[in-house]
Each structure stands twice: as C-alpha cells, then as structure tokens.
Amino acid sequence: MSPAEQPQPHRTADVRRPTLNAVAARAGVGRGTVSRVINGSPKVSARSRAAVEQAIAELGYVPNRAARSLATRRTDAVALVVPDAETRLFSEPYFSGIIRGVSTGLAGAGMQLLLVLTGDEKEHGRLAAYLAAHRVDGVLMMAVHGDDTLPDRLEELAVPTVLAGRRSDRERLGHVRADNRGGARLAVRHLLAGGRRSIGTITGPLDMDVARARLDGYREALREAGVAVAEDLIAAGDFTEEGGRVAMRELLRRHPDLDAVFAASDVMASGAVLELRAAGRRVPHDVALIGFDDSIVARHLDPPLTSVRQPLEEMGRTMASLLLEEIAHHGTGRREVVLPTELVVRGSA
Amino acid sequence: MSPAEQPQPHRTADVRRPTLNAVAARAGVGRGTVSRVINGSPKVSARSRAAVEQAIAELGYVPNRAARSLATRRTDAVALVVPDAETRLFSEPYFSGIIRGVSTGLAGAGMQLLLVLTGDEKEHGRLAAYLAAHRVDGVLMMAVHGDDTLPDRLEELAVPTVLAGRRSDRERLGHVRADNRGGARLAVRHLLAGGRRSIGTITGPLDMDVARARLDGYREALREAGVAVAEDLIAAGDFTEEGGRVAMRELLRRHPDLDAVFAASDVMASGAVLELRAAGRRVPHDVALIGFDDSIVARHLDPPLTSVRQPLEEMGRTMASLLLEEIAHHGTGRREVVLPTELVVRGSA
DNA sequence: TCACCCCGTGGGACCGCTCCCACGCGGCAT
DNA sequence: ATGCCGCGTGGGAGCGGTCCCACGGGGTGA
C-alpha cells in the first residue's frame, strides 16, 4: 500500500468505551476472571460470574475486538471473495441466496463477514498476501474459474478456504455445490415424460465444471431412457442471453424438428425464447424449454420458464459451517458437499 | 453474546508473519522509523526509507491490522448494513451496483467492507452497541425505512453514518439518493411527448420517501404541461408485482380510457403488464408503460420496458466518499447528495 | 567559537485483551 | 494435626503496532 493511499490520521470521537479492567474493578474481581466469564470458561464460581455479568450489563461493556484479535492471533472474521467481473451476477438470486446463508451461518459463531470484490487476477497475489496476513481466519470464494490460482495460493498459505462450486472434478479444496448433474437429469426426464423425444441442449462454457456437469446430466437422462444422444443436438453457449440465442439458432438449423431444449441457464433460455419466437415456434407447444437457476427472469419470461432450482441459502450456510470447522480443526475439513436440486415446473415445459 | 455462542478457542496455523520489529532489525533502524515509512511520514531520510522498503519487500511484511487498530483506536473498516428482509432486493441491480461503488470507493482508502445483514428491528439495539463498540469507523445503511431508528441510535453514539436514500425530507443524517422526482418527471414528460394525455401512475408505499418523490415528479410533469392531475389516476402499489397488478386493475376500472402508466418500479410495471395483457390492452399501442429502476426484469419484459435508471455505482462511490470524509473530519460531513437519473427508452413507451 | 535550532531518529509507554503461572484456601486422606 | 490436592483466582507478560518525548549531530547566526 503506497503512502498516498493511507487514510488521513484521525481519531474517532473519544467516547472511551469501558474496558475489561473497568468491569473487573466494578465487579471486584481480577481481569482474568472477567475474561473467563466472557469466554464461557467453566472455572468460575457462580458468585464471581454473577458479579461480572452484572458489571458488564451496568457498564454496557463490549469486548474490544482488536485487542482480542491481537492477543489470540485470531480475527473472528472471514472474507467472502467475489470476482468483480461477476458482480453483475449479484443480480441473480444466486449471490443473494448464498450470501444470506453465509451470513446466517457465520452470525451464530460471532464471525464477521468481510466482503471483498476483486478485480483482475493480477491483484490476486496482493490479495492472497493480504488475506494471509492475519486479516481473516478463513476465506469463502464465489464464482471460481477453472484457472483461478487464488485458491491454490491460499492453500499454500494455509488459509482455510471453502469454495462455492469446484474448479474441476479434481478440486482439492473444500467446497459446496449443487447437484448440477442431478438437476439436469430432472429437467431432461421431465421433458421425456412430456413425450418429447428430440431434445437439444444449450451448454455453458465447457471449461467450467457446472457446465460440464449439466451436460453430463443431460446425457445420462437420455441414456437411461434409451434415447440416443445426438451430438449435433448439443450447442455450446456462454451463459449469456446472446449466446443462448445464437446456440438456439444453430440448433434449429441443424434440427428443425427438435421439440424440446434444456438450457444450462435461465439467461440462455431467455435468449432461446427470443429465437424460437422469431422462428415462429411456440413455447411449449412446438418446443418445450427448461432453464437452470430459477432466477428472476424465469418467472418473467413468457411463458414462465420451468427451471432447476438450487438450495442457495442452504449452500451458503453449509459453506459457512465447513469453513468454521476447517478453522477450528485445521485440516480436518476440506470436504465437499453436494446439495440436491429441484425442478420448478412452470409454463414452458 | 452468550458464552455458548463463543467460537471454540483455536489458533490459526502458527506461521508467524514478520513484525514491524523484524523489519526494523533487518533494515538496521528503529521501530519508529519503520512505522513512519509505512505511514508515509515525510520525516524520514531517503536512506532510511530505502533500507526499510527493501526490508519490507524481502520479508513480505504486511502490518497487523489488529495491532494498529488497537493503538490508533481506528478500525479502518466500515459496515454496510442491509436489512435482512430486503435481501431479496439483492437480486436487483440496485444492491449490486451500490455495493460495487462502495467497494471501489473504500478500496482506495484501504478500508475494509463489513457486510452486516440484520434481522428484525429488535436486533437494532444490540447492533448499534456492537457497531459503536470500536467495531467500525463508520456505517453505511441501505434500504432505510421511514421509521427505522437505528440511524438515530448511531447518531447518538457518534458513529459516522451515511444512508442510501433518506427516510423523509427532514433527514438529518448524511445520505445519497437519486433524483427520484426528476426521474419521474423525465418519464412522464416522455409519455406526454408521445402524445399520451390520460396518464396514470402506480405509486410505491407512500410512507417511503422514494415513493413520494416519484409521485411528486409525476404531478410536476403533468402540471408543467398544463395537464390537470386527476387524483383517481393515482393508484397505490407496494413495490411488488402483485401490488402493481392490483393497482393496474384498479386504474383500468376507474379509467378505461387511460393511455399511459408510469409505475414507480419495474417490478410493479411487470405486474401491470400482466394485467394489461389480461384486459386485452396492447403495450405500447393502447397503453404506454414506463417503470423505474432499470432492473433486469425491464429488459426481459415483453415488450422491453422503458425505465428510469439511477447511477447506482456512482451512488455507492459517493456514499463511500461522504463516509470517509465524515470519519476524517467528524461532523463536517452530514451532507446530502442527489445524483441525476436517466430515461432508458425501450419498447414499452 | 559557542549557543541555538531543527531534522531525523530510537525507544519507552501505552492500546485492551488472553494466556498462563503461581498462590491461597478449604477439604480430604494419612 | 499435617500434608496434599485441586479449584478459583489475581496479575504479569506478552500480542504488534502508534505516539511522542528526548536526544545526537550538523548547520546557522552572533
């Protein structure tokens, strides 16, 4: 950090809060005893405990986090790292849901949540050092890309880390993800159950694990139904609306007779709808359509989009608890948790 | 905080980071000098500075925030408080845009961003104490309700605070808001320019300042165009889709001949669209429609919704800088900043 | 040449907490 | 009665910074 970036020195309004010493004096006990009461140590007599608790209440004492942190070498804070490029994704329920869960999960443990939006990968070196340097007890990362090296750096630095989603199926760090494959299977089974047989899919970028998993689920569902998987019914999108539109156009060109599409995201599905409409195909009459994410656009599409929902809040809570565990018992954690998805049936399929 | 809530004691991996003392030893200078270099004091000879900077680089030294915080009685952190009830609003670009701006604005000053989701108002007492107790240097609050007392508590506790939006036109705390009135005026002028004359409006809950401001803008635009404001062209919504739908139905009942509607939010507009469609009115042919917020639903409505956009990221940045100023020069701040809105014209009007 | 000043510097004294050692005291076995 | 044990307890010694005082040395003016 260059000197120029330093905030100007100042002092906050000098209303000094009561210290642990003040509590001790008022309660007529030593500092050690107060500390024990605050930290719930059992080795305190009922009398002392009562006296201390009363003094705390009377003084409105709240422990100074910085002092505690300095002494314990803990921070009681974790960082939630969100790549800046993905902040438009904030707009998706994805982030809000997960953040909510994370927040709930942490609050119970008295942990603070630091929100860190990172720019490009160039910053990652600095960021890793920053996070490692007694800043936070652990790190949660969202929207990790397959080639993101920040998690590895954090691992080297022995910073407990939990990811939302994995970078690949060889992910070594602890992470939480939705059952993307299972969700895709649900979607495609639903299409099959509706009598559709020529089912295309619009995938996400295949260097992303989610995209691959959803494609796998598509393949599995067809296979288990004894339907041959035609490779030209698979079109690659990029999780954008325009990408979905282009992919849909391509699918229609290759298979004018197709009667259903599973899109690996709602946003791509919304692009597909536009293209289908332009091509004079009615949804769901001519072509049934299912998306993934159950995002806001799903409800507002015409017709409303059938979509696969992930248990976002639970994912967030799980991330929090995995991280807390990893923080408490270094190295024990590093587990992966897969949570079930669910099909939300609306008008489009 | 009850003892039971306390995290179990533990130590993070004891890879001790270099301290300021280590840097001093390595550079062959005193602690004071190192501190001066880090904090950009001019009272350091070039020779010492160079030596210190080299030692810092070699050791990979990063100052310990807790220690600094303890000594300075600052935290270099601010809290962003978001009412939990509103977290679904995360889904709106509103939050993501503002958070982004805030994050950018703070990063430059080396400030950390603490995300705090609060539950019901009952928590506010605890929260205020918590925030005041040396936790953060300042507080940013989003989605403040007119009757929210947390800001007042913070004010009493002399915690620098900046709000997103104001609670009423008598707001005493520093805040940043969009020119809601002006935005509404833009919308209604656009409808008038399109030849519409029987223009209704769907308002938000009128106990909210934004809602009142947008209604005021509606009235002003009509008045300045010499169009009489018919009170029965005003229907109250509640910023929800269903509310928008109900309000639209009511407007159609009262004024079957109406030819345009200004909805105080996109979400309400999306409800209105459904109702208009159900009533066989074509948008924009029979009834032109404009929303507010330029949210995602706007782009995905059919037809795409003309809407008023707020400069969200700039609002966030401004909030950050107001807060930093207030923190630096206690009491100087407490300003209000109103940022201009802009009409994004799409298919619906 | 001497007094004075100022600049750069080292290091002591905190900031408020936790950790842990040592101590006092009552109860039990000897 | 004496020794021993263990429970509660007080308080010293840090944790890693900042602040500020006091001090040495070179330059300036008398």
Side-chain angles (χ1 to χ4, degrees):
Chain A
M1 198 181 293
S2 82
E5 287 177 3
Q6 285 297 319
Q8 287 309 304
H10 71 273
R11 297 187 159 267
T12 45
D14 241 332
V15 220
R16 293 238 181 147
R17 313 268 326 167
T19 70
L20 179 140
N21 245 318
V23 175
R26 175 157 201 133
V29 300
R31 294 187 343 271
T33 302
V34 177
S35 178
R36 270 170 228 125
V37 170
I38 291 169
N39 294 293
S41 157
K43 321 184 131 234
V44 182
S45 69
R47 240 173 52 77
S48 300
R49 164 163 289 121
V52 169
E53 278 168 354
Q54 188 182 343
I56 288 180
E58 287 170 3
L59 294 173
Y61 169 76
V62 185
N64 180 313
R65 203 154 197 139
R68 171 182 285 174
S69 173
L70 185 57
T72 56
R73 329 182 115 278
R74 268 182 289 138
T75 61
D76 289 340
V78 310
L80 177 67
V81 177
V82 182
D84 200 20
E86 316 293 335
T87 40
R88 26 184 183 111
L89 296 186
F90 260 134
S91 316
E92 294 299 311
Y94 186 69
F95 277 70
S96 58
I98 290 195
I99 287 181
R100 234 163 131 149
V102 165
S103 169
T104 317
L106 292 177
M111 285 268 180
Q112 294 189 330
L113 180 59
L114 241 61
L115 189 62
V116 180
L117 307 189
T118 75
D120 42 11
E121 288 228 9
K122 288 181 298 180
E123 281 184 26
H124 280 10
R126 268 179 29 132
L127 183 59
Y130 172 90
L131 292 172
H134 290 308
R135 288 300 167 276
V136 290
D137 293 343
V139 174
L140 297 169
M141 283 198 67
M142 305 206 53
V144 220
H145 283 270
D147 54 352
D148 199 333
T149 58
L150 183 53
D152 300 320
R153 289 222 187 85
L154 292 173
E155 194 181 10
E156 284 167 24
L157 292 165
V159 179
T161 304
V162 170
L163 312 178
R166 58 182 182 180
R167 287 169 292 172
S168 76
D169 53 7
R170 302 182 320 283
E171 184 62 71
R172 299 194 333 277
L173 276 80
H175 68 275
V176 175
R177 62 179 207 276
D179 182 6
N180 290 300
R181 200 198 300 180
R185 231 161 27 211
L186 287 179
V188 176
R189 278 185 199 148
H190 181 76
L191 293 172
L192 288 163
R196 314 289 173 156
R197 279 303 171 271
S198 183
I199 304 175
T201 186
I202 301 177
T203 75
L206 291 177
D207 59 340
M208 289 179 70
D209 184 75
V210 265
R212 284 196 302 272
R214 290 172 191 177
L215 176 55
D216 288 349
Y218 161 84
R219 286 202 158 103
E220 280 177 28
L222 290 181
R223 215 174 295 133
E224 75 185 14
V227 177
V229 179
E231 289 303 318
D232 62 353
L233 272 170
I234 299 172
D238 55 0
F239 282 148
T240 69
E241 182 175 349
E242 183 54 24
R245 186 161 188 164
V246 170
M248 188 68 243
R249 190 177 311 146
E250 180 61 18
L251 285 180
L252 284 175
R253 195 185 57 72
R254 295 192 208 144
H255 273 271
D257 59 323
L258 111 181
D259 59 9
V261 171
F262 163 60
S265 86
D266 287 354
V267 175
M268 293 197 296
S270 75
V273 164
L274 297 179
E275 191 61 28
L276 286 168
R277 194 176 293 151
R281 305 292 216 285
R282 286 162 303 171
V283 177
H285 190 274
D286 303 323
V287 178
L289 182 63
I290 298 188
F292 209 110
D293 289 340
D294 190 29
S295 58
I296 326 187
V297 298
R299 280 192 300 286
H300 286 281
L301 241 40
D302 180 27
L305 186 68
T306 294
S307 186
V308 180
R309 178 192 292 158
Q310 323 180 38
L312 298 170
E313 209 164 323
E314 192 183 346
M315 287 167 69
R317 278 199 307 272
T318 309
M319 287 176 68
S321 65
L322 280 192
L323 186 63
L324 290 175
E325 200 178 316
E326 168 96 13
I327 289 172
H329 320 100
H330 242 262
T332 317
R334 191 147 314 184
R335 292 189 294 132
E336 72 178 87
V337 176
V338 180
L339 296 171
T341 45
E342 166 194 8
L343 187 68
V344 181
V345 178
R346 297 203 180 83
S348 72
Chain B
M1 202 180 291
S2 81
E5 288 177 3
Q6 285 297 318
Q8 288 310 304
H10 71 271
R11 295 187 162 268
T12 45
D14 240 331
V15 220
R16 293 239 181 145
R17 313 269 326 167
T19 70
L20 181 139
N21 244 317
V23 175
R26 176 159 201 131
V29 300
R31 294 182 351 266
T33 301
V34 177
S35 178
R36 271 169 228 125
V37 170
I38 290 169
N39 294 293
S41 157
K43 321 183 130 231
V44 183
S45 68
R47 238 171 52 76
S48 302
R49 164 163 288 121
V52 169
E53 279 167 354
Q54 188 182 344
I56 289 180
E58 287 169 3
L59 294 173
Y61 169 77
V62 185
N64 180 315
R65 204 154 196 140
R68 173 182 284 173
S69 174
L70 185 56
T72 56
R73 327 182 120 278
R74 268 180 290 138
T75 62
D76 289 340
V78 309
L80 178 65
V81 177
V82 182
D84 199 20
E86 316 294 334
T87 40
R88 22 184 185 113
L89 296 187
F90 260 134
S91 315
E92 294 299 310
Y94 186 69
F95 278 71
S96 58
I98 290 194
I99 286 182
R100 234 165 132 149
V102 165
S103 170
T104 316
L106 292 178
M111 285 268 181
Q112 295 189 331
L113 180 59
L114 242 62
L115 189 61
V116 180
L117 306 189
T118 76
D120 42 11
E121 288 227 9
K122 288 181 297 182
E123 282 183 27
H124 281 9
R126 268 180 27 133
L127 183 59
Y130 173 91
L131 291 173
H134 290 307
R135 287 300 167 279
V136 290
D137 294 342
V139 174
L140 296 169
M141 283 198 69
M142 305 204 54
V144 219
H145 283 271
D147 55 352
D148 199 334
T149 58
L150 182 52
D152 299 320
R153 289 222 188 83
L154 292 172
E155 193 182 9
E156 284 166 24
L157 291 165
V159 179
T161 304
V162 171
L163 312 178
R166 58 181 184 181
R167 286 169 294 174
S168 76
D169 53 7
R170 303 182 318 283
E171 184 61 72
R172 300 195 331 276
L173 275 79
H175 67 274
V176 175
R177 61 179 206 275
D179 182 6
N180 290 300
R181 198 198 303 181
R185 231 162 26 213
L186 286 179
V188 176
R189 277 186 199 146
H190 181 75
L191 293 171
L192 288 163
R196 315 287 173 156
R197 278 304 170 270
S198 184
I199 304 175
T201 185
I202 302 177
T203 73
L206 291 178
D207 58 341
M208 290 178 69
D209 183 75
V210 266
R212 285 197 300 272
R214 290 172 191 177
L215 176 55
D216 287 350
Y218 161 84
R219 288 201 158 103
E220 280 178 28
L222 291 180
R223 213 174 295 132
E224 75 186 13
V227 177
V229 180
E231 289 303 319
D232 61 353
L233 272 170
I234 300 173
D238 55 1
F239 282 148
T240 70
E241 181 175 350
E242 182 55 23
R245 185 160 189 166
V246 171
M248 188 68 243
R249 192 177 311 146
E250 181 61 19
L251 285 179
L252 283 175
R253 194 185 59 73
R254 295 190 207 148
H255 273 272
D257 59 322
L258 110 179
D259 58 9
V261 171
F262 163 61
S265 85
D266 287 354
V267 175
M268 292 198 296
S270 74
V273 165
L274 296 180
E275 191 60 29
L276 287 168
R277 194 177 294 153
R281 304 293 216 285
R282 288 162 301 172
V283 176
H285 190 272
D286 302 325
V287 178
L289 182 63
I290 297 188
F292 209 109
D293 290 339
D294 191 28
S295 58
I296 325 187
V297 298
R299 278 194 301 285
H300 285 280
L301 241 41
D302 180 29
L305 185 68
T306 294
S307 186
V308 180
R309 177 191 294 158
Q310 320 180 38
L312 298 170
E313 209 164 322
E314 191 183 348
M315 286 167 69
R317 279 198 307 272
T318 309
M319 286 176 68
S321 65
L322 280 192
L323 185 62
L324 290 175
E325 199 178 317
E326 170 94 14
I327 289 172
H329 319 100
H330 242 263
T332 317
R334 190 145 315 184
R335 293 190 291 134
E336 71 179 88
V337 175
V338 180
L339 295 171
T341 46
E342 166 194 8
L343 188 68
V344 181
V345 179
R346 297 202 181 82
S348 73

